[in-house]
Every structure is written in C-alpha cells, then in structure tokens.
Amino acid sequence: SQQGEEDPQALSIQEGENATMNCSYKTSINNLQWYRQNSGRGLVHLILIRSNEREKHSGRLRVTLDTSKKSSSLLITASRAADTASYFCATNSGAGSYQLTFGKGTKLSVIP
Amino acid sequence: KAGVTQTPRYLIKTRGQQVTLSCSPISGHRSVSWYQQTPGQGLQFLFEYFSETQRNKGNFPGRFSGRQFSNSRSEMNVSTLELGDSALYLCASRPPQTGMNTEAFFGQGTRLTVV
C-alpha cells in the first residue's frame, strides 16, 4: 500500500529555478529516502534522512523532515535539464526486515 | 564495483504462462528486495530476502514467489500470468551493515508485458 503522497504530481520549471516537492506519510518511520527515476528505468538513491534529523544537504539537494506533521520536502536548487525525472519519497518503518513504502511520485520537467 | 544486475531487461509472455526473473546484487550485499511498479498502483514491495531466508512479503497473491541462493543472487517467479502482472519489476540490494538506516541500490528493472 502507498504510504507517502507526493505533492505536486507534476511540476514544470525553467532551468535555473528551484524545484520543491513535498511528501506526506502515515506511520512512524526509521528514515525517509528520496529516489529519482528516469523514464521507467531503475531508481537512483538521492538522500536518506533519519527520523531524528530535521534537515540534510547533499550538493544541490536539501531535504527537510517534520515527524510531527509526518511530512518531508525535497528542494533542488538551480535546476538543470538533466534533473528532468520522476522523484519518489520512500519510508522505512520496519524492525526486522527492510521494506520501503513509496509515494506516487512527482514528475519534474526542467525546460532548457 | 558492478551495480545490481537484472535479467532479462524485457520480457513478453502470454497469459497463463509462468516467468522467472533474475537479480544479481552488488558484491557483498546480502539483502535483496523486489518491487513491482505499475502506472495504477505505483511502486509496491513484493518481498525481501536475507541470507537465503525470506524476511518479509508484501500483499501479493501466492502466484508471486522468490528465492535467494547462497551467492545472494535472487530469482522471483510469477506463475499463471495475468494481464495485470504487466509491470516493471525492480530488484534492490543493500549493504551489509546492521540496522535499517541504509540506502537501497536498485537495478534497471525487468519490463514484463503479458499479452
């Protein structure tokens, strides 16, 4: 079942602009992760934020996590055409096994 | 280091047939998970294997099964294929650290089309 819900479902921006995607989830988590997928290919891991962290940076990516609101956001700064892809948040809530629960994704289009 | 390798990349099967998909994890990774991706249901967890043992299974019928070998390679099998089984099947492996706070490394997937 889907736990995360991304918002917006689709986003179109100009190259150089910032892109913000939001994710909400329902249960308590160990961590929340963001993945990128290009045109139905495999998922590429972007960043993992633990439940006791509030913000994390990686290059042009900034992720925030608000466990009280059960929400996270992914900010991509100074976007490039190569950032065009679908972005998924995934939560990990398990104790004995590793199971990711994905949201429906945000389709980002960066126009050159 | 080679990434997660899934074979075949594309597959076309007829309703009622069965299919076996293969996944070779990154060297040294012992945890392998499988996910199904469809336009309607999105990405859904199928099962996770660790050291040849299934640790968890998602909400899928018994037609979906899997196994893991001693070299950590994994296979999943779908019997009596239905049109709705058409999907991208993704395999992921995980580094051998303990705990849940590790990323998963995904393969390129196997695109299964059932006709």
Side-chain angles (χ1 to χ4, degrees):
Chain A
S1 62
Q2 299 289 325
Q3 159 145 258
E5 294 288 336
E6 276 97 337
D7 162 47
Q9 290 187 341
L11 181 60
S12 184
I13 59 174
Q14 297 287 330
E15 205 166 30
E17 294 180 336
N18 295 342
T20 299
M21 288 160 262
N22 302 297
C23 166
S24 62
Y25 58 92
K26 296 175 185 172
T27 66
S28 61
I29 60 173
N30 297 317
N31 59 69
L32 185 143
Q33 305 177 38
W34 287 89
Y35 288 83
R36 184 185 76 220
Q37 184 178 41
N38 290 84
S39 299
R41 296 171 64 86
L43 298 168
V44 174
H45 183 266
L46 296 175
I47 198 163
L48 179 153
I49 185 165
R50 300 184 183 206
S51 60
N52 62 354
E53 297 175 314
R54 293 297 166 256
E55 188 171 312
K56 206 160 181 182
H57 296 255
S58 177
R60 295 184 295 112
L61 306 179
R62 173 180 168 250
V63 167
T64 61
L65 179 65
D66 187 335
T67 52
S68 66
K69 294 181 180 177
K70 291 186 169 59
S71 67
S72 172
S73 68
L74 170 68
L75 169 67
I76 304 174
T77 60
S79 63
R80 306 165 181 167
D83 295 328
T84 295
S86 291
Y87 292 81
F88 296 89
C89 69
T91 55
N92 179 313
S93 307
S97 82
Y98 189 89
Q99 174 180 342
L100 294 176
T101 303
F102 286 87
K104 293 188 184 298
T106 293
K107 193 166 186 176
L108 173 66
S109 299
V110 181
I111 303 163
Chain B
K1 218 177 203 183
V4 177
T5 304
Q6 291 188 245
T7 56
R9 289 291 310 279
Y10 302 92
L11 207 47
I12 300 175
K13 288 286 188 178
T14 305
R15 269 181 302 174
Q17 287 186 314
Q18 73 164 15
V19 67
T20 299
L21 312 182
S22 179
C23 172
S24 294
I26 293 172
S27 178
H29 289 195
R30 289 158 59 194
S31 166
V32 174
S33 304
W34 288 88
Y35 293 83
Q36 181 198 62
Q37 185 177 26
T38 60
Q41 298 299 316
L43 281 151
Q44 294 189 291
F45 171 78
L46 279 158
F47 21 66
E48 188 213 6
Y49 286 89
F50 182 85
S51 293
E52 302 178 65
T53 300
Q54 186 182 91
R55 293 209 292 194
N56 198 4
K57 185 174 180 182
N59 189 24
F60 280 83
R63 300 185 297 106
F64 291 81
S65 62
R67 58 178 175 169
Q68 187 180 33
F69 302 95
S70 58
N71 62 357
S72 294
R73 190 178 70 85
S74 177
E75 289 181 346
M76 68 162 281
N77 184 277
V78 188
S79 63
T80 319
L81 283 165
E82 301 177 359
L83 295 179
D85 298 332
S86 294
L88 180 67
Y89 290 88
L90 293 163
C91 167
S93 72
R94 205 160 62 89
Q97 297 103 302
T98 56
M100 293 292 131
N101 287 313
T102 56
E103 66 192 87
F105 294 81
F106 282 82
Q108 290 298 299
T110 294
R111 172 76 62 185
L112 172 65
T113 302
V114 182
V115 297

